[in-house]
Amino acid sequence: MNRITDLAGRIACHAATDGIHATALPSVTLVRSAAVTTPTPTVYAPSLCMVAQGAKEAQLGESRFTYDPGTYLLAGVDLPVVGAVTHASADAPYLCLVLHLDGARVAEMVAEHPAAGEPADRPIRGLILGETTAEMVDAACRLLALLDASEDRDALAPLLERELLWRLLRSPAGPLLRQMAGGPQSDRLHRVLQWLRNHYAEPVSIDALADVAGMSPSALHQHFRTVTGLSPLRYRAQLRIHEARRLMIAQGLDAASAGFQVGYGSPSQFSREYARTMGLPPSRDVERLRASPDYLLA
């Protein structure tokens, strides 16, 4: 059997319904959708996304990334994106394996193999596409096979996850893994990202974020935009909009209440920024989502 077909079959076996499925492997999540979806905001944590069937598009700022069975998506930092499944049907649903990356494991791999791959000579974008190789697909198949082999799972899963990291480190994605592993600038950026995730509803200035990073405002702005594709304040706005959408869907809040809760003092400003990101005003977007199959992927 073709290995990508094998991978699709293994995902389908353990993700029988549309949605996002946790597995017995803590680092692995499976995603299935039997239909194309409307753009949905989410935050991509550091992870490897390998599509076995169908295709998806992720938009980060003004950049669009399309990944399919020949192309993986690698996220090196937490990034607020707008994603949509672009190719899927009931007969051939979108099927994806997501391997969540642990920063300590990545740093360990990089430290053990300093000569593997090429380091980046400057900060690079934290979201990249790469070619899915036969070796990666084979390792992914063997990893998912452990879902049906509980007696082998604890011993072998870390080895197979490590093999996938090794394949990435030896590929053109290696510089991003090395950037994930740390360094002065990377550590400073992570401090700012963590601060924004924890305090997105609070007012903040670039000067205050520069103090968190221990960088000049201009250096922070340039480094932040290079890695995330967004300015620091636009990144915060994306986090706010994503959380407001979740509150409207999960808790039934109206747009004004959700906007106020995530830090907007003006309902009109919230509505403008929401429509800029999602393409529709808040109430219309939530109505559309509740009436669509995308609800399971929200």
Side-chain angles (χ1 to χ4, degrees):
M1 178 184 291
N2 181 286
R3 290 301 265 168
I4 198 69
T5 303
D6 186 12
L7 182 60
R10 293 185 183 277
I11 295 174
C13 179
H14 293 277
T17 59
D18 284 2
I20 301 169
H21 301 265
T23 73
L25 298 168
S27 298
V28 174
T29 299
L30 304 177
V31 185
R32 176 190 178 109
S33 178
V36 299
T37 63
T38 54
T40 301
T42 188
V43 175
Y44 280 8
S47 56
L48 167 67
C49 300
M50 291 181 61
V51 174
Q53 189 167 268
K56 188 172 184 180
E57 180 181 87
Q59 181 173 356
L60 175 64
E62 302 303 318
S63 301
R64 295 178 183 271
F65 302 80
T66 298
Y67 49 111
D68 55 27
T71 309
Y72 65 79
L73 184 78
L74 181 66
V77 295
D78 290 346
L79 294 168
V81 305
V82 177
V85 174
T86 55
H87 289 85
S89 67
D91 293 332
Y94 168 78
L95 299 168
C96 180
L97 179 157
V98 180
L99 177 66
H100 303 278
L101 303 182
D102 179 81
R105 288 187 180 181
V106 172
E108 181 182 11
M109 172 72 78
V110 169
E112 290 176 357
H113 303 280
E118 293 293 329
D121 58 2
R122 61 180 65 87
I124 59 174
R125 180 66 55 88
L127 190 68
I128 63 171
L129 297 173
E131 179 186 355
T132 303
T133 65
E135 292 81 5
M136 291 177 64
V137 174
D138 180 64
C141 286
R142 286 182 280 121
L143 180 63
L144 289 193
L146 295 177
L147 294 176
D148 300 312
S150 58
E151 68 279 8
D152 298 329
R153 193 179 298 146
D154 291 345
L156 296 183
L159 301 179
L160 290 171
E161 291 177 17
R162 185 178 174 85
E163 180 179 343
L164 280 168
L165 282 181
W166 172 252
R167 300 296 180 191
L168 290 171
L169 185 61
R170 293 279 292 165
S171 78
L176 180 53
L177 288 188
R178 293 185 175 281
Q179 183 169 277
M180 285 181 63
Q185 281 193 317
S186 180
D187 292 342
R188 290 168 182 165
L189 177 65
H190 280 288
R191 287 203 299 270
V192 175
L193 292 173
Q194 183 175 11
W195 194 97
L196 288 170
R197 291 195 303 273
N198 294 335
H199 304 277
Y200 61 82
E202 301 175 17
V204 69
S205 66
I206 290 294
D207 288 344
L209 290 176
D211 288 341
V212 171
M215 303 170 71
S216 71
S218 60
L220 170 64
H221 192 278
Q222 180 178 1
H223 184 71
F224 195 101
R225 181 177 281 279
T226 297
V227 175
T228 70
L230 302 163
S231 71
L233 296 185
R234 185 61 189 156
Y235 183 99
R236 182 191 64 170
Q238 296 279 64
L239 293 178
R240 286 178 165 185
I241 289 166
H242 291 192
E243 176 61 10
R245 195 180 199 237
R246 187 193 69 80
L247 291 171
M248 288 186 289
I249 294 168
Q251 299 185 18
L253 296 189
D254 60 61
S257 298
F260 178 77
Q261 190 158 323
V262 300
Y264 287 96
S266 164
S268 60
Q269 181 190 8
F270 169 62
S271 185
R272 285 196 303 273
E273 292 206 2
Y274 193 102
R276 175 185 173 187
T277 299
M278 299 309 307
L280 286 174
S283 58
R284 287 179 57 195
D285 178 54
V286 172
E287 288 175 3
R288 175 187 64 176
L289 180 60
R290 285 177 175 156
S292 76
D294 304 3
Y295 198 73
L296 292 170
L297 297 171

